[in-house]
Amino acid sequence: MQILTPHVYWAQRHGEIYLRVELSDVKVGQSPTSGHGAKGDNEYEFKLEFLEPVRPEIKHKSTERQVDIKIKKKEERWWDRLTLQEKKPLFLAPDFDRWLDESDAEMELQAKEEKLNKISVESRVRNDPYLGLKKSYLFMYNLVQFLGYSWVFVNMTVRLFILGQDSFYDTFHTTADIMYFCQMMAVLEVINPLLGLVKTGAFPAMIQVAGRNVILFVVFGSLDEMQNKPVVFFVFYLWSTIEIFRYPYYMLACISTEWKMLTWLRYTIWIPLYPLGVIAEAVAVVQSLPIFDETRLFSLPLPEMLGNSLSFSYTLQLYLVFMFLGLFINLRHLYKQRRRRYRTRKRKVH
C-alpha cells in the first residue's frame, strides 16, 4: 500500500507548537499509521524538521475527525516559521482556528499571567486589612487631579469663547498655579506603583511626569519670555483634555464601577491627543532655545580654554530626542493596554 502524506495545520505560541492532522480512525504511535484521510483509508506519514529544538515530550489527542498534537519549544521565543527549510512543505498550512500573530500571542500570554496574578492578588486581598484605606487614598488622589485639570480646561475654554485668540497670550498667568499643583501631585503616579498600590509600571509614568515637569517648570516657569507665547495655551489645553477623561476612569475603577463611554474615551482619545501634546511640547522647547542661549540661564560653567559656559540649550536639544523616544515607549504601552482591555471585554462578551 502506498504511504501518503496527510494535511497538517499548524499554529504557535511563544512556548508551544500546535499541529492538527486531518486523519480519523488512527492509532497514534505507529509509523506509518493507518487512518482515514483526504484520500480514504491508507497508510499516512509526515516528517517535519523544526526551525529550533523542541522538548521530547509530545502530547496528542485523537478525535473522530483529527489528531491534535502539542509540542513544547525548548526555548520560549517566537519563531519566524515552523520548519528549518525556508520553503514550506506542500502538506503544511496555517491553522487559522488557532492562529495568532506575535503581538496577539503576547497579549494572550499577558492575559493568562494577569489571570494568575489576579487569583494570587485576590487571595492576598482577603487578608489585607488596609485595602479600604488604599482604595480611599487612590480615589481621593484621582478625584483631586480630575477637579484640578477640569478647572484648567473649563477656565481656558470659557476664556477662549469670550476673548478668542487674545486668551492665548495670558494662559500661563491665569492657570499656572493650578497646573503647578497638579503636576507636583503627579509625582505620586511614580511612587504609587513602586509601593504596590497600583499595577501599572513606574517607568512609563516617570517618563510622562518628568517630561511634563521639564516643560512646565523649566521651559515655561523659568522664562518670562515663554509665558506669553500661544504655545502655552496648546500645551495646557491638550494636557487637560487628556486628563479629564483619564482620572475619572481610574477614580471609578477604585470603586469597581465602569462607564462604557468613559472607558472608550479613556482608551481612544489619547491616540490623536498624546502625539499632538508631544509636538506642542517640542515646539515650546524649540522656541525656548534662543532664549536660553541669550540669557545663559542654567548654563554649565566650563574652563577658560573650552569657553565660558555650555548653554542649557544643548541639554534641551538632547532632551528633544528623548522626548520622541518617550513618545514611542508610552504609545506602545498605552496601545497594549487598550488592546488588552478590549480583548478581555470581547472574551467576556463571548
Side-chain angles (χ1 to χ4, degrees), residues 123-300:
S123 64
R124 292 198 303 269
V125 160
R126 295 189 190 100
N127 301 319
D128 186 356
Y130 302 107
L131 179 63
L133 185 62
K134 292 175 182 177
K135 285 192 172 184
S136 297
Y137 155 72
L138 291 172
F139 182 88
M140 289 304 300
Y141 167 76
N142 288 295
L143 175 61
V144 169
Q145 289 290 73
F146 168 66
L147 293 175
Y149 279 106
S150 295
W151 185 92
V152 172
F153 179 82
V154 171
N155 180 287
M156 293 177 65
T157 302
V158 171
R159 290 177 60 82
L160 179 63
F161 276 107
I162 295 174
L163 301 175
Q165 293 185 5
D166 290 341
S167 66
F168 291 175
Y169 302 99
D170 62 352
T171 298
F172 186 85
H173 301 290
T174 56
T175 60
D177 289 341
I178 299 298
M179 192 62 79
Y180 278 144
F181 173 78
C182 289
Q183 279 307 123
M184 286 189 289
M185 285 279 290
V187 174
L188 292 172
E189 294 183 26
V190 182
I191 299 173
N192 289 339
L194 295 176
L195 297 177
L197 297 175
V198 294
K199 297 177 184 178
T200 54
F203 186 63
M206 183 180 68
I207 291 175
Q208 180 170 321
V209 172
R212 285 190 178 183
N213 283 345
V214 167
I215 300 298
L216 179 60
F217 291 96
V218 178
V219 175
F220 294 155
S222 65
L223 297 176
D224 293 339
E225 297 88 341
M226 288 296 300
Q227 294 171 7
N228 296 320
K229 291 185 178 292
V231 70
V232 178
F233 174 90
F234 293 103
V235 170
F236 283 11
Y237 206 74
L238 288 165
W239 286 359
S240 59
T241 305
I242 292 171
E243 305 302 13
I244 61 175
F245 296 109
R246 186 168 72 99
Y247 284 114
Y249 170 81
Y250 288 136
M251 188 171 63
L252 293 178
C254 293
I255 55 175
S256 303
T257 302
E258 180 182 5
W259 291 350
K260 290 183 179 180
M261 179 56 71
L262 181 61
T263 300
W264 182 84
L265 287 169
R266 184 265 179 274
Y267 283 103
T268 305
I269 201 166
W270 59 265
I271 296 174
L273 294 188
Y274 186 65
L276 286 174
V278 172
I279 291 171
E281 293 171 22
V283 171
V285 170
V286 170
Q287 290 182 353
S288 72
L289 296 180
I291 302 174
F292 278 111
D293 284 336
E294 183 181 349
T295 60
R296 311 306 294 177
L297 186 64
F298 303 136
S299 294
L300 180 67

Side-chain angles (χ1 to χ4, degrees), residues 60 67 80 285 293 330:
H60 50 74
V67 179
D80 294 331
V285 170
D293 284 336
N330 266 319

